[in-house]
Amino acid sequence: MELQFLGTGAGMPSKMRNTSAVILNLSAEGEGYWLFDCGEATQHQLLHTPLKPRKIAKIFITHLHGDHIFGLPGLLGSRSFLGGNERLEIYGPSGLKEWLETTLRITTTHLNYELLIQEVGEGIIVEDDKFKVIAKNLQHGIPCLGYRIEQKPLPGKLLIDKVNEAGVPKGPLLKELKDGSDVTLPDGRLIFSKDVTGEPQEGFTVTILGDTSYCNAAVELALDADLLVHEATFDMDTDNLAKEYGHSTIGDAARTASEAGAKKLIANHISARFMPSDVAKLKEQGEAIFPTLHIAEDFSRFVWIDGQVKNLNAEKPS
Amino acid sequence: MELQFLGTGAGMPSKMRNTSAVILNLSAEGEGYWLFDCGEATQHQLLHTPLKPRKIAKIFITHLHGDHIFGLPGLLGSRSFLGGNERLEIYGPSGLKEWLETTLRITTTHLNYELLIQEVGEGIIVEDDKFKVIAKNLQHGIPCLGYRIEQKPLPGKLLIDKVNEAGVPKGPLLKELKDGSDVTLPDGRLIFSKDVTGEPQEGFTVTILGDTSYCNAAVELALDADLLVHEATFDMDTDNLAKEYGHSTIGDAARTASEAGAKKLIANHISARFMPSDVAKLKEQGEAIFPTLHIAEDFSRFVWIDGQVKNLNAEKPS
Ligand SMILES: [Zn+2]
Ligand SMILES: [Zn+2]
């Protein structure tokens, strides 16, 4: 799992930060890329990364404000033009389907792939053998979702000593045991997977929220998460504005991470009002409440290694 | 008059060229900016110029392909957010109104200014005391307009010798004479404007076309124009593709400029297939037919000085 931020600004693009988009790269887990929100010029940001639009398999939209969706039609078209022919699933609040269908129709955009647009509310909105995605309503004036992505426990490692001891022949039976199935050997003996594999490994949980004031739903979505991505449109001196506009301060984000027992917090959706020195102050304010905090920059990358989220320094785009 | 290209690419953004947008800056003529087409990330391109979104007074859309309009909703929102409160007029083909209204409604975008969306066909679509804009249908598979912008003749210069001779007192009467009105002096004498002013100065004509194959309408729109902006999606070796997709080669653009008797041609809508060396070849192919030709780059600027269009070198964006 890798997480790469493509846009970390609020409301409008600036030279420093584009509008919202973050890619959860699940290629290693066999799921392709999952994109969360798609502000205008997200496809332009992708041009400065090695990421390929055609590998985007799912898109999750938190809410229908322009700074979170205006890049979607262009990206859908380019994904097709650049060779994408595998089905794309888009999840988001009610209204998304009407807007996308109207847009594709009026611009006569032809897609060389199947497009599934699924308007969703609270609940489990995606589940397969490897992942579960849970959505909850946040607090932002218009319907706005937060997403909790849970990787299911991974089968334990095959214990070579044990399979040799049991006399399991090399080949497909080993893979079945590794994948959790019990097998019958050619000589009739039944071998239980649990006897020849180690403990199942816990999967990761990543929580990616849309714009929101502090709310219980955010804490619930982030419960024990390895990583929480939370907006911080305001600093703690402008708490009143945050509440008024349905946004969070860096303090709200840190408090949510802390109450949820999350392991790491990445704050994004940073207003262009904040100069680089203000961002340092923002970080300090947050760290006083929740120490394992990063402020996302455009192109910041985070990876999941040995059960931990590690920060790869933001690379300057080429 | 200044013309600045914001996007000169075709179909999709690349690192070198954004999708279509060009600003006709008529600030000196008292008309603000007129924007022609608005591909995705046009507002991002503006961030790298001194141009201000709130000064955009009119937007002309040639056709409803995504690479010509996907930047529109974001720009409309940002224009409002950045202090724009004067009325904005948008002209374009049928379907534009439904798309924009659907988009603004679903994204709950609030604009602090009056928005007039006018779906237009062929004819005079804008006329005031200084300018006339004429539209014609081009040939591009879907309805696609070309625009001819004619500046009306400017009143001749006030001839100081003549007004002194006639004994016109300094003050508002001079301005009236300059603006073409005849006036009565305090002593009862009638002074005719034409007797104290020089010849009316001819205005400029700029023709900005949407995507098109070679067609008569393009030639008619460009007749005797000081400047023709014409697409050149293909080179002369791929003539068959140009026709098939409703586009032009650099040869078609040059031929149109030549047949119309235009004074200068700027080719834009250049495919990302063309590397810088290919672009040089493109230029050669065009110049063989029509010598006063420029290939537009993103941020290229052209100004109208002393009755001529001059090319200011493209400035690297900051
Ligand atoms: Zn937002
Ligand atoms: Zn085009």
Side-chain angles (χ1 to χ4, degrees):
Chain A
M1 181 269 277
E2 279 198 26
L3 196 72
Q4 181 153 27
F5 288 85
L6 298 173
T8 60
M12 278 197 314
S14 71
K15 279 192 197 177
M16 291 292 294
R17 297 177 185 276
N18 197 31
T19 47
S20 294
V22 53
I23 287 241
L24 183 67
N25 184 342
L26 298 175
S27 298
E29 290 80 7
E31 299 269 357
Y33 311 157
W34 293 4
L35 175 65
F36 291 79
D37 283 338
C38 188
E40 183 179 352
T42 293
Q43 64 165 328
H44 297 64
Q45 296 289 86
L46 281 172
L47 289 175
H48 299 282
T49 73
L51 302 169
K52 303 278 169 249
R54 66 184 154 76
K55 295 191 182 168
I56 299 173
K58 291 182 170 60
I59 301 178
F60 298 86
I61 298 297
T62 62
H63 65 297
L64 301 184
H65 278 152
D67 57 321
H68 296 255
I69 61 169
F70 282 156
L72 205 39
L75 181 65
L76 296 189
S78 294
R79 182 184 188 271
S80 183
F81 198 82
L82 294 168
N85 48 30
E86 283 173 41
R87 162 179 155 130
L88 176 67
E89 300 171 7
I90 309 187
Y91 301 88
S94 174
L96 181 61
K97 196 176 167 74
E98 180 192 349
W99 179 62
L100 275 180
E101 288 181 349
T102 302
T103 300
L104 297 177
R105 170 175 53 80
I106 287 181
T107 59
T108 59
T109 303
H110 174 75
L111 303 179
N112 287 320
Y113 53 83
E114 184 193 348
L115 181 66
L116 175 92
I117 307 168
Q118 193 84 46
E119 295 184 341
V120 295
E122 297 203 324
I124 298 172
I125 58 160
V126 165
E127 183 161 17
D128 64 15
D129 57 334
K130 295 192 282 270
F131 286 93
K132 187 158 81 173
V133 180
I134 299 150
K136 270 185 189 287
N137 292 320
L138 302 174
Q139 212 169 296
H140 186 51
I142 63 165
C144 182
L145 295 165
Y147 296 105
R148 176 183 173 95
I149 304 99
E150 294 180 2
Q151 187 186 29
K152 296 187 176 176
L154 299 165
K157 286 199 175 117
L158 206 59
L159 303 169
I160 300 300
D161 287 359
K162 299 280 186 187
V163 292
N164 286 345
E165 211 172 276
V168 183
K170 287 205 160 61
L173 289 180
L174 276 183
K175 186 173 170 0
E176 285 186 41
L177 285 166
K178 183 180 179 300
D179 290 346
S181 305
D182 305 327
V183 303
T184 304
L185 298 190
D187 61 13
R189 281 179 301 138
L190 180 64
I191 308 288
F192 294 100
S193 173
K194 70 174 171 46
D195 294 338
V196 296
T197 55
E199 285 292 295
Q201 295 173 283
E202 248 190 87
F204 55 79
T205 295
V206 175
T207 301
I208 301 177
L209 303 184
D211 297 1
T212 189
S213 306
Y214 172 85
C215 65
N216 286 335
V219 176
E220 287 161 21
L221 284 170
L223 220 61
D224 297 322
D226 295 284
L227 182 59
L228 167 62
V229 177
H230 195 299
E231 69 126 302
T233 315
F234 291 92
D235 61 14
M236 294 182 70
D237 309 331
T238 46
D239 192 45
N240 52 332
L241 291 177
K243 284 201 177 56
E244 188 178 336
Y245 294 110
H247 281 294
S248 289
T249 65
I250 185 71
D252 293 327
R255 181 180 158 205
T256 300
S258 172
E259 291 179 0
K263 296 200 185 68
K264 198 171 284 247
L265 168 64
I266 307 175
N268 71 344
H269 206 268
I270 309 296
S271 166
R273 287 177 295 117
F274 296 122
M275 300 287 108
S277 61
D278 301 323
V279 171
K281 193 180 135 206
L282 212 64
K283 190 162 192 288
E284 276 173 34
Q285 289 183 348
E287 283 173 339
I289 299 169
F290 188 83
T292 51
L293 159 70
H294 296 274
I295 309 280
E297 308 283 341
D298 284 16
F299 303 107
S300 289
R301 279 172 67 206
F302 296 84
V303 284
W304 175 251
I305 300 172
D306 299 333
Q308 281 204 351
V309 174
K310 299 240 164 82
N311 177 22
L312 302 183
N313 283 339
E315 283 155 45
K316 257 240 135 13
S318 60
Chain B
M1 179 268 275
E2 279 197 28
L3 195 73
Q4 181 154 28
F5 288 85
L6 298 173
T8 59
M12 277 197 317
S14 71
K15 279 192 195 178
M16 291 293 292
R17 296 178 186 274
N18 198 31
T19 47
S20 294
V22 54
I23 287 240
L24 183 66
N25 183 343
L26 298 175
S27 299
E29 289 79 8
E31 298 269 356
Y33 310 156
W34 293 4
L35 174 65
F36 291 79
D37 284 339
C38 187
E40 183 178 354
T42 293
Q43 65 165 325
H44 297 64
Q45 297 290 85
L46 281 172
L47 290 174
H48 299 282
T49 74
L51 302 170
K52 303 278 170 252
R54 65 182 156 77
K55 295 193 183 167
I56 299 173
K58 292 182 170 56
I59 301 177
F60 298 85
I61 297 298
T62 62
H63 64 297
L64 301 183
H65 278 152
D67 57 322
H68 295 255
I69 62 168
F70 282 157
L72 206 39
L75 181 65
L76 296 189
S78 295
R79 182 183 187 270
S80 184
F81 198 82
L82 293 169
N85 48 32
E86 282 172 40
R87 161 179 155 130
L88 176 67
E89 299 171 8
I90 309 187
Y91 301 88
S94 174
L96 182 61
K97 197 175 166 75
E98 180 192 350
W99 179 61
L100 275 179
E101 287 180 349
T102 302
T103 300
L104 297 177
R105 170 174 54 79
I106 286 180
T107 58
T108 61
T109 302
H110 174 75
L111 303 180
N112 288 320
Y113 54 82
E114 186 195 343
L115 181 67
L116 175 92
I117 307 168
Q118 193 84 47
E119 294 184 341
V120 294
E122 297 204 323
I124 298 173
I125 58 161
V126 165
E127 183 162 17
D128 63 15
D129 56 336
K130 296 191 283 264
F131 286 92
K132 188 157 81 173
V133 180
I134 299 150
K136 271 185 189 287
N137 292 320
L138 303 173
Q139 215 168 293
H140 186 52
I142 63 166
C144 182
L145 294 165
Y147 296 106
R148 175 183 174 95
I149 303 100
E150 294 181 1
Q151 187 186 30
K152 296 188 176 176
L154 299 165
K157 284 196 178 121
L158 206 59
L159 303 170
I160 299 301
D161 288 355
K162 299 277 186 189
V163 292
N164 285 345
E165 211 173 278
V168 183
K170 289 206 161 60
L173 291 180
L174 277 183
K175 188 175 168 359
E176 284 186 44
L177 285 165
K178 181 179 181 303
D179 290 348
S181 305
D182 306 328
V183 304
T184 305
L185 299 189
D187 61 15
R189 280 181 299 140
L190 180 63
I191 309 289
F192 294 100
S193 174
K194 68 175 171 46
D195 293 339
V196 297
T197 53
E199 286 291 295
Q201 295 173 279
E202 249 190 86
F204 56 78
T205 296
V206 175
T207 301
I208 301 177
L209 303 183
D211 297 0
T212 190
S213 308
Y214 171 84
C215 64
N216 286 335
V219 177
E220 287 161 20
L221 284 170
L223 220 60
D224 296 323
D226 295 284
L227 183 58
L228 166 61
V229 177
H230 195 298
E231 69 125 303
T233 314
F234 292 92
D235 61 13
M236 294 181 69
D237 310 331
T238 46
D239 192 45
N240 53 332
L241 291 176
K243 284 202 178 53
E244 187 178 338
Y245 293 111
H247 282 293
S248 289
T249 65
I250 186 71
D252 294 326
R255 180 180 158 205
T256 300
S258 173
E259 292 179 0
K263 298 201 183 69
K264 199 170 282 247
L265 167 64
I266 307 175
N268 70 344
H269 205 268
I270 309 296
S271 166
R273 286 177 296 117
F274 296 122
M275 300 288 107
S277 62
D278 301 321
V279 171
K281 193 179 137 209
L282 215 60
K283 190 162 191 289
E284 275 172 35
Q285 291 184 346
E287 282 172 341
I289 299 169
F290 187 84
T292 50
L293 158 70
H294 296 275
I295 309 280
E297 307 283 340
D298 285 16
F299 303 108
S300 289
R301 279 171 68 208
F302 297 84
V303 284
W304 174 251
I305 300 174
D306 299 332
Q308 283 205 351
V309 174
K310 300 239 163 83
N311 178 21
L312 303 182
N313 282 338
E315 283 155 44
K316 258 238 130 20
S318 60

